[in-house]
Amino acid sequence: MQEQQMNWTQTYLHDYKEGMGLFSEQMPEVAHQFSEFSEACFKEGELSKKHKQLMALGISIVAQDEYCMIYHTKGCVDQGATEKEILEACGVAAAFGGGAALSQAVTLVQHAYSDLSNKVN
């Protein structure tokens, strides 16, 4: 059986998950506490899960964190965010983070969105 080729975004997500797995083996308590904290932050509340993912995407763009940009672009897609909603969040991030944030939004985020929205299920 032939192994399916991963696209660019899937490769980034795989690398992140692999890294977190290795970290979890060495630092299980820290990894567990971080996971619990993150799950609590992203669960449905006064803000929807989709809006929390859009916020996280904007923050990751301003922070210039490529893995988080891809991870939260996936979170946005998984929560039903449209391309326009994602790009609007990118615009807000660019308003705060300037040209460096915009360059990430018009390249990395759009590439990840394209990969994730064209995935064959």
Side-chain angles (χ1 to χ4, degrees), residues 8-27:
W8 176 83
T9 301
Q10 291 167 328
T11 300
Y12 254 77
L13 292 169
H14 176 267
D15 290 350
Y16 173 77
K17 288 177 184 176
E18 192 173 77
M20 284 301 292
L22 293 171
F23 180 79
S24 295
E25 289 174 13
Q26 296 296 317
M27 302 293 293

Side-chain angles (χ1 to χ4, degrees), residues 75-88:
C76 290
V77 170
D78 290 349
Q79 293 302 318
T82 66
E83 183 177 17
K84 291 239 182 199
E85 289 173 317
I86 290 170
L87 292 176
E88 191 169 330

Side-chain angles (χ1 to χ4, degrees), residues 13-79:
L13 292 169
H14 176 267
D15 290 350
Y16 173 77
K17 288 177 184 176
E18 192 173 77
M20 284 301 292
L22 293 171
F23 180 79
S24 295
E25 289 174 13
Q26 296 296 317
M27 302 293 293
E29 185 62 24
V30 173
H32 174 74
Q33 293 298 324
F34 177 77
S35 178
E36 292 287 317
F37 175 72
S38 293
E39 285 179 27
C41 290
F42 282 91
K43 71 181 187 180
E44 196 84 20
E46 295 300 314
L47 295 173
S48 70
K49 290 180 180 182
K50 178 174 84 171
H51 286 103
K52 290 179 179 187
Q53 287 294 334
L54 289 164
M55 290 172 61
L57 175 59
I59 293 165
S60 66
I61 291 168
V62 173
Q64 298 285 295
D65 185 331
E66 291 184 2
Y67 284 97
C68 285
M69 285 181 236
I70 294 167
Y71 185 84
H72 291 294
T73 298
K74 181 180 183 333
C76 290
V77 170
D78 290 349
Q79 293 302 318

